[in-house]
Amino acid sequence: MEGFEGKKEKVLKMSQAEGFRKGAYAGIFSTIGVMAANHYSTFFKTKLSVSAKTAIALSPALGVYSFTAEMLMYNAGKDPFSYGIYPDGHEKDQPVVQKVDRLKWYHSAANFAYNKPLILIGSIGIPTISAVYWNQNRAGHEHLNLSHRILNTRVLGQFSFLAIILSVMFFRDYMDHKGGLFVENEEGAIVREHEPFE
């Protein structure tokens, strides 16, 4: 779709506003969660520093803001009319069409895994390794010193990360073999397409 003057600024403004809105919601819930954990969990209250607690509270808000703004910029950049973005002076000449995504959530999830496997691997692998390290510091592992805990985390983490990589790559290869991405054609039917999103 051809661009027009002012399109970039309008898309950016809309993306930032929506990102801030959803990021604020995520920040409220994460902050409440941190406050509750600090009140009810002795481990959380005594073992984590103020900076770590602050990071836990802020990270979901930043993550949701970044993801929301990036996805909206991508989608609105491809099809701005569906989001009510028109050239100056033409807003009244164009009917505002509400974007209705007929793809189900599992189609979108499969497309995300197909298009961005590295992001998916990282988003699953990093929390998995963190959970392994946290488990090594739970009760029952007091006989292990720090170096042994780190070594165990490395071994188990590498095994887990490798399993995640193989699973994601196998799934992507399976999707590619079956036809690629789930897309909606002009008639509104869901079809398969090998070309990745631009």
Side-chain angles (χ1 to χ4, degrees):
M1 176 177 292
E2 294 291 336
F4 52 82
E5 186 177 356
K7 170 187 169 183
K8 181 179 179 180
E9 290 75 13
K10 291 182 178 181
V11 170
L12 183 61
K13 182 178 179 181
M14 174 184 288
S15 302
Q16 288 179 337
E18 187 67 12
F20 277 125
R21 185 177 71 86
K22 292 189 176 180
Y25 290 150
I28 290 173
F29 285 110
S30 62
T31 301
I32 293 174
V34 169
M35 293 175 64
N38 192 63
H39 181 74
Y40 292 105
S41 174
T42 304
F43 175 85
F44 189 90
K45 184 175 183 179
T46 58
K47 298 296 184 180
L48 296 182
S49 63
V50 175
S51 59
K53 296 172 185 177
T54 304
I56 294 174
L58 294 180
S59 294
L62 296 175
V64 170
Y65 165 78
S66 301
F67 179 79
T68 301
E70 185 70 25
M71 293 301 296
L72 188 55
M73 280 192 290
Y74 169 75
N75 293 323
K78 285 185 61 178
D79 190 9
F81 291 172
S82 295
Y83 291 85
I85 299 175
Y86 304 102
D88 292 334
H90 293 75
E91 286 85 353
K92 295 182 180 180
D93 299 333
Q94 298 284 349
V96 177
V97 180
Q98 184 178 5
K99 184 174 179 64
V100 179
D101 191 359
R102 297 183 182 178
L103 295 177
K104 302 298 184 182
W105 65 268
Y106 45 85
H107 294 137
S108 299
N111 286 345
F112 183 84
Y114 183 87
N115 255 349
K116 300 179 179 179
L118 295 181
I119 295 178
L120 180 62
I121 290 170
S123 62
I124 298 175
I126 293 175
T128 300
I129 294 176
S130 301
V132 171
Y133 181 75
W134 174 77
N135 185 65
Q136 290 295 314
N137 289 276
R138 293 179 64 188
H141 295 84
E142 295 86 354
H143 61 286
L144 299 176
N145 56 34
L146 180 61
S147 62
H148 283 101
R149 294 176 186 178
I150 294 176
L151 181 62
N152 290 345
T153 301
R154 177 186 173 186
V155 173
L156 295 174
Q158 286 179 336
F159 176 79
S160 301
F161 213 85
L162 181 61
I164 293 169
I165 292 174
L166 292 176
S167 299
V168 172
M169 290 298 105
F170 175 80
F171 178 77
R172 192 182 189 283
D173 186 69
Y174 174 79
M175 278 194 65
D176 188 66
H177 178 72
K178 290 295 184 179
L181 296 166
F182 294 97
V183 296
E184 186 178 344
N185 62 15
E186 296 179 356
E187 289 76 25
I190 297 176
V191 296
R192 305 297 291 270
E193 183 178 287
H194 278 290
E195 291 295 325
F197 294 124
E198 298 295 336

